[in-house]
Every structure is written in C-alpha cells, then in structure tokens.
Amino acid sequence: MISSADLTKPHTWFPFARAMKRKIIYHCGPTNSGKTYNALQKFMEAKKGIYCSPLRLLAMEVFDKVNALGVYCSLYTGQEKKHVPFSNHIACTVEMVSTEELYDVAVIDEIQMMADSCRGYAWTRALLGLKADEIHLCGDPSVLDIVKKICSETGDELYEQHYERFKPLVVEAKTLLGDLKNVRSGDCIVAFSRREIFEVKMAIEKHSNHRCCVIYGALPPETRRQQANLFNDQDSEYDVLVASDAVGMGLNLNIRRVVFNSLSKYNGDKIVPVPPSQVKQIAGRAGRRGSRYPDGLTTTLQLEDLDYLIDCLKQPFENVNKVGLFPFFEQVELFAGQLPDISFAHLLEKFGENCRLDGSYFLCRHDHIKKVANMLEKVQGLSLEDRFNFCFAPVNFRDPKAMYHLHRFAAQYSIKVPVSIAMGMPKGSARNDAELQDLETKHQVLSVYLWLSQHFKKEIFPYKKKAEEMAIDIADLLGQSLIKACWKPESRQGGNPRPQQEEDGHERHKGDGYRRPNSLVKIYEK
Ligand SMILES: Nc1ncnc2c1ncn2[C@@H]1O[C@H](COP(=O)(O)OP(=O)(O)OP(=O)(O)O)[C@@H](O)[C@H]1O
Ligand SMILES: [Mg+2]
C-alpha cells in the first residue's frame, strides 16, 4: 500500500511569505482596459520590483519599455538572463520568479492563467510564494473568487480594482462573406493552425494588394516581435496580420479588426470549438488605446460562424473553482522513497493517482513531462533530480528532431562530457516550407540548449554564447523567410495541425459547448 502524496494546504509550503502580511491588489477587467498599465506604474515606482509575465515576448516588451522610461530593469526568462547594472527591477516569465528574494512590489500578469490545465501551477506558486509587500494581479474576473479564498487562507489583504474596456468592441455583422478579398488594412485574420495561417496569407497576397505578417506559436519571440513591428509600422507595406492565438495575450498591436478565419481548433486530440474565454481574449486585441485604431471591430470570415462569435462575446466570464498545482522536486523525491524500482514516468503516474489535494486545487496535466520522461528512460546515470529537471525543458515533443537533440543533450550530460550543440547553421533564409520548418526546429533546439544551460551547471553546457548567437541569427533568418514566404504549407506528422506550444497558453476551460443564440447582436459592450 502506497501512502498518498500530500499536496494539501499549499499555502503552508511558503513559510516566509506566510510570515508577511502582503497587500494584494487585483486589477480585474476585460482586455484592453488598462490593467497591466496601472500595475506597471506601481512596479516602476517601487524601490525593488518584479514583473511576472505569461510569455517571453511580453517580458521582453516590459523590459524594453521600463528601461526606455529610465527605470533600470533586468530580464530573466528560462532561456536568457540580461542583467542591467544597478537595476532593482526584473521582468521575468512567471515560471522563473524567485520565491526567495524580497520585493516591494510584484506584478503577476494574466492571473486567470492559474486555472490553466498545464501551466497553472506557475501562477499559483507565484501568488502563494512571492515575498513582496504589495502584489498586483492583472486579469479577468474568472479567478477573483478563488483568489479571495486563497487570501483568506494566507491572511493577506485583498483589494479589488475593477476596469471597463476603454472603447466597446463592435461586431461587424456583415462578415467577410467567405471571401478573403474583403480584407482591409489593419485586419488581423485569426487561424488556429500553422497550415491555415499560410494558406490565408497566400490567398490574401494572391488576390489583393495587401501584404501579410504572420505570428504563430512555433516562431521565436524575436521573430514574432519583428513581425509585430512590421505590421505596426504605418510606413511598411505589411498592413495585414495573419496570426494564431499566439496574439491572444497582452501584446499591443495596431489592429483595427479581428477576423476569425474559423472558430474551431485542434486541441491535441480532436477538433473542438474555440472556448469563449479565448475568443474574447483574441477579439479584444482589436482597437488598443493609444494605437492607430482606438475603436475595435471583430467579425468572422464565414457568415455561419458569426452567431458563435457573438455568443462567445456575450458570455460572462465563468467562475473558476480550481487552480493548478504541481509538486516541487522534494515532494516527488519523498514519494519516490516508497517506490524505489520504478521508472520516472511511472513514478509520475503513481504520484498523480495517489496525490491528495484540497478542493480549490487540481494537479496540472503533465503528459508533456511524461513523454520526455519516457524518452529519457534508457539514459543511464541521471539522478532523479536530473530527470525531473530535464523533463521541464521547453521542448516541442511533437517534433522528433527536437526530441532527438534533447535526448542527445541528456545522454552527453549523463556521461559528464561537455554537451555540444552539434547542429550547423542554415545557409540562408528558407525557400520552401520544409526549410522554414527546419529553421523553426533549429531555433527550438537552441532554445532548449539555452534553457538547460540556465538550469544545470554552466560547465556542462559550455556553448551557451554560441547557442545565443546562433539563435539570434536563426530568428533573423526566420523573419527574412516570412517576408518572402509564398509557398504552400506542408503537413507535419500525420497532417494534424499542432496545438499551441508551451508558452502560448493551453486549453484553459473545458466543456464550452457550441451554442447558437437566436438573435444577432451587433454591438458588444465588454
Ligand atoms: N492611463 C493610461 N494612459 C496612457 N495609455 C494607457 C493608459 N492605460 C492604458 N494605456 C494603454 O492602453 C493599452 C492597453 O492597456 P493595457 O495593456 O494595460 O490593457 P490590459 O487591460 O492589460 O489588456 P490585456 O488584458 O489585453 O492585457 C496599452 O497600450 C497601454 O499602454
Ligand atoms: Mg494586460
């Protein structure tokens, strides 16, 4: 009989944070309502502050913005550390936040991600564990109740600050009538697979005078940023953006109208309707304050999708009643003591079956971790802790080449030889989709190398500098390739579109059924 793994009372895991009485300010509201802006003001005014971002791209954006305003700020993500001398401020990705360091002000952006089925634990950990006198949470109202409950357990004071959208989002009932010729300058066409994105780009460039930038999950943040800048730049000829839900979070883009190419997506298993919360978040990208288009519009390509769009926008934010947790290594290690002879993947499975949780928490999905654990099973000489750490490397497990390199890194690490990059630089920008995918994979591999070099002893990953240089060059080549891309996309394995990768937010809410309203509403207020 195995005794259970205890994940109850997670607030007691952070005794130092519990010894403080923290002031928590929840900036609560829909997209484009100034939540992050206001929280960042407090961050910048603080003597010592930390900003926790859902995405590398957003962390980089805050890093640039804050430094440009004269507040020295460092950047800390899984892949890079940019230390700015004399800085007392850090912009980091939420997974990287330290619960050891003391801060005056912390910002946790997109707090509703606590309920994300895969990454939720990182937000929960930040909220429970941050040692900051003042913590600003930014997000929609879906986790407000559960945050209240958590604060009553932790003994922190909670203040709410509610926001409304600066300008209402207007639904265009006309739609594009199924014809991409009807796109206009400032449109962002949203498609949910890489393949669809390139098909849309090709069709628009073939049948109109518009030129398209693209943003999707497999592109490095630097390339996404380059594409976003090109689209935002009024003087460039690139006036249309074709993007996946990778644009859904926090980015400031000059979008006049968000047009949904379709409203269903592959969730890693089957094609499902896009959940309303996500539709709202993406549609909310249109019409940002201070941008060229302060009034936002949204619509669909096909008339038959319009009802679902309106229905999603009308739905109130749902109330989440559980948020994510994942054990620390020490908790897994303690559990492993009872099962000395089983594989790591099996151990994780047993942990999942036997763990006890309080009613407000769920154990985050860890299929990705198990896949890596299985692949590394045969690599001898890795300690339990090494395996645990390798499994968190941000690898796209659907990409066999990337998995091969991760395996190789682990194998070299296990025999304690310096881990090599062993990958040549491409000769130039991509001339077809296969070459483009190759660039994406190469960047992925370098990104994993850089991540490992930050999470393991430096001496074992001595080619960090080289990997950084190569990653910059490849991101650049990807940018150049996208500018001239006009080829038909190829399928990856099996032709299924890929679900979003790690950083782009996972399926958050289940069971959002497809319902059609009877009436058509043209103006939507939130
Ligand atoms: N008081 C303000 N003065 C000037 N600009 C502002 C102000 N408040 C917000 N903005 C600008 O409006 C835009 C939207 O604000 P912000 O990013 O804070 O919205 P948000 O509520 O965090 O949206 P999202 O949910 O999409 O992250 C940003 O470009 C921001 O700089
Ligand atoms: Mg924001």
Side-chain angles (χ1 to χ4, degrees):
M1 174 71 186
I2 310 165
S3 66
S4 61
D6 188 7
L7 292 187
T8 59
K9 298 194 177 54
H11 61 280
T12 61
W13 303 349
F14 304 95
F16 295 111
R18 290 301 72 78
M20 299 173 76
K21 189 161 178 72
R22 306 174 307 170
K23 181 175 170 190
I24 315 260
I25 301 100
Y26 194 131
H27 300 262
C28 181
T31 54
N32 198 13
S33 57
K35 306 180 298 291
T36 306
Y37 179 93
N38 280 308
L40 283 178
Q41 298 299 316
K42 299 291 179 197
F43 165 76
M44 288 190 291
E45 285 163 16
K47 273 209 210 92
K48 186 169 174 186
I50 184 144
Y51 165 81
C52 309
S53 159
L55 301 171
R56 285 175 68 197
L57 185 53
L58 216 54
M60 290 174 186
E61 218 177 75
V62 168
F63 165 78
D64 286 341
K65 187 171 150 188
V66 167
N67 278 304
L69 291 170
V71 178
Y72 296 143
C73 178
S74 293
L75 176 72
Y76 192 13
T77 74
Q79 285 79 352
E80 66 184 325
K81 242 183 193 169
K82 270 192 195 156
H83 179 70
V84 170
F86 311 110
S87 62
N88 287 318
H89 289 73
I90 298 175
C92 68
T93 40
V94 64
E95 278 87 356
M96 300 307 290
V97 66
S98 160
T99 55
E100 309 275 303
E101 199 71 33
L102 201 61
Y103 302 100
D104 296 308
V105 169
V107 177
I108 312 177
D109 211 350
E110 306 290 351
I111 188 68
Q112 72 281 352
M113 290 285 288
M114 285 176 98
D116 184 88
S117 59
C118 301
R119 289 177 69 204
Y121 68 91
W123 278 261
T124 306
R125 171 178 162 271
L127 175 60
L128 294 174
L130 257 167
K131 291 197 315 193
D133 294 320
E134 206 171 289
I135 303 182
H136 293 261
L137 312 176
C138 308
D140 70 35
S142 59
V143 292
L144 180 58
D145 281 352
I146 201 150
V147 166
K148 275 186 196 161
K149 194 167 170 208
I150 291 173
C151 286
S152 71
E153 284 164 357
T154 57
D156 297 317
E157 286 173 273
L158 177 67
Y159 298 84
E160 294 169 37
Q161 210 163 308
H162 289 268
Y163 292 76
E164 290 301 325
R165 237 188 103 91
F166 291 127
K167 289 272 183 83
L169 184 63
V170 177
V171 176
E172 270 194 354
K174 207 163 71 184
T175 75
L176 262 55
L177 299 168
D179 194 343
L180 284 170
K181 274 195 208 129
N182 293 326
V183 297
R184 279 184 272 159
S185 223
D187 276 351
C188 171
I189 318 294
V190 178
F192 292 96
S193 73
R194 186 182 179 282
R195 184 185 184 84
E196 227 178 291
I197 287 172
F198 280 101
E199 280 169 359
V200 168
K201 173 177 159 70
M202 249 178 79
I204 293 174
E205 291 184 344
K206 191 164 167 198
H207 299 295
S208 73
N209 291 326
H210 298 287
R211 302 296 307 272
C212 303
C213 293
V214 295
I215 294 181
Y216 53 92
L219 292 177
E222 295 83 357
T223 313
R224 290 191 225 175
R225 182 121 83 129
Q226 180 255 4
Q227 291 287 298
N229 290 344
L230 200 59
F231 171 71
N232 281 343
D233 178 3
Q234 236 166 323
D235 298 330
S236 96
E237 53 179 330
Y238 292 82
D239 59 343
V240 171
L241 180 64
V242 188
S244 72
D245 40 355
V247 288
M249 251 183 302
L251 275 180
N252 283 306
L253 292 155
N254 287 340
I255 299 173
R256 187 178 139 271
R257 178 171 69 167
V258 168
V259 181
F260 289 89
N261 189 56
S262 68
L263 278 164
S264 47
K265 71 178 215 175
Y266 178 64
N267 71 355
D269 181 27
K270 55 183 187 300
I271 306 282
V272 293
V274 182
S277 53
Q278 210 174 2
V279 172
K280 268 192 189 177
Q281 183 121 21
I282 298 169
R285 298 295 109 207
R288 306 282 282 179
R289 173 168 172 174
S291 86
R292 207 184 327 153
Y293 306 111
D295 303 300
L297 298 170
T298 184
T299 191
T300 53
L301 171 66
Q302 308 291 351
L303 192 56
E304 60 263 31
D305 285 334
L306 186 68
D307 291 3
Y308 182 62
L309 171 64
I310 292 169
D311 197 21
C312 290
L313 296 179
K314 279 205 305 193
Q315 283 196 26
F317 285 101
E318 60 187 301
N319 216 0
V320 162
N321 53 21
K322 280 182 201 271
V323 294
L325 269 189
F326 202 74
F328 298 125
F329 168 68
E330 290 75 11
Q331 291 163 310
V332 174
E333 190 183 32
L334 201 66
F335 183 72
Q338 303 180 59
L339 299 160
D341 295 323
I342 64 170
S343 71
F344 182 53
H346 197 184
L347 177 72
L348 287 173
E349 208 166 297
K350 286 275 171 216
F351 191 101
E353 287 165 11
N354 289 281
C355 82
R356 271 195 302 136
L357 292 146
D358 291 332
S360 312
Y361 298 93
F362 64 85
L363 181 68
C364 280
R365 274 175 53 182
H366 44 285
D367 334 9
H368 164 268
I369 294 175
K370 272 195 267 180
K371 288 222 164 67
V372 178
N374 268 325
M375 179 184 73
L376 299 182
E377 200 54 60
K378 296 255 150 48
V379 180
Q380 305 283 320
L382 292 177
S383 69
L384 189 65
E385 188 165 9
D386 289 338
R387 283 187 197 280
F388 188 83
N389 287 335
F390 265 100
C391 285
F392 280 90
V395 68
N396 170 14
F397 66 82
R398 286 187 174 76
D399 186 336
K401 276 192 209 152
M403 287 293 264
Y404 158 78
H405 282 281
L406 177 60
H407 184 276
R408 188 174 58 73
F409 294 156
Q412 288 185 336
Y413 175 90
S414 72
I415 53 169
K416 301 199 168 38
V417 296
V419 177
S420 59
I421 301 175
M423 197 178 68
M425 266 303 281
K427 294 204 177 60
S429 58
R431 290 160 301 177
N432 53 46
D433 196 52
E435 288 184 2
L436 186 70
Q437 289 194 23
D438 189 51
L439 286 175
E440 288 168 13
T441 297
K442 283 201 155 81
H443 195 280
Q444 240 276 288
V445 173
L446 293 165
S447 165
V448 169
Y449 188 96
L450 289 170
W451 189 93
L452 293 170
S453 75
Q454 286 221 95
H455 289 78
F456 289 90
K457 280 200 190 110
K458 279 201 247 37
E459 309 81 80
I460 308 195
F461 292 89
Y463 306 108
K464 180 172 174 233
K465 191 105 203 87
K466 172 95 185 138
E468 273 169 2
E469 287 164 8
M470 286 173 76
I472 291 171
D473 289 347
I474 291 181
D476 201 41
L477 285 176
L478 273 162
Q480 292 173 29
S481 311
L482 292 173
I483 284 174
K484 44 181 207 181
C486 59
W487 49 71
K488 250 190 138 44
E490 285 182 9
S491 306
R492 290 202 188 226
Q493 309 79 51
N496 271 334
R498 291 193 306 158
Q500 284 302 301
Q501 284 183 333
E502 183 74 344
E503 247 198 2
D504 295 331
H506 291 272
E507 282 294 304
R508 247 185 294 162
H509 306 289
K510 299 254 164 186
D512 298 301
Y514 185 104
R515 281 184 283 122
R516 279 168 177 278
N518 294 326
S519 59
L520 289 189
V521 182
K522 287 193 187 131
I523 311 279
Y524 167 72
E525 281 290 329
K526 273 199 169 169

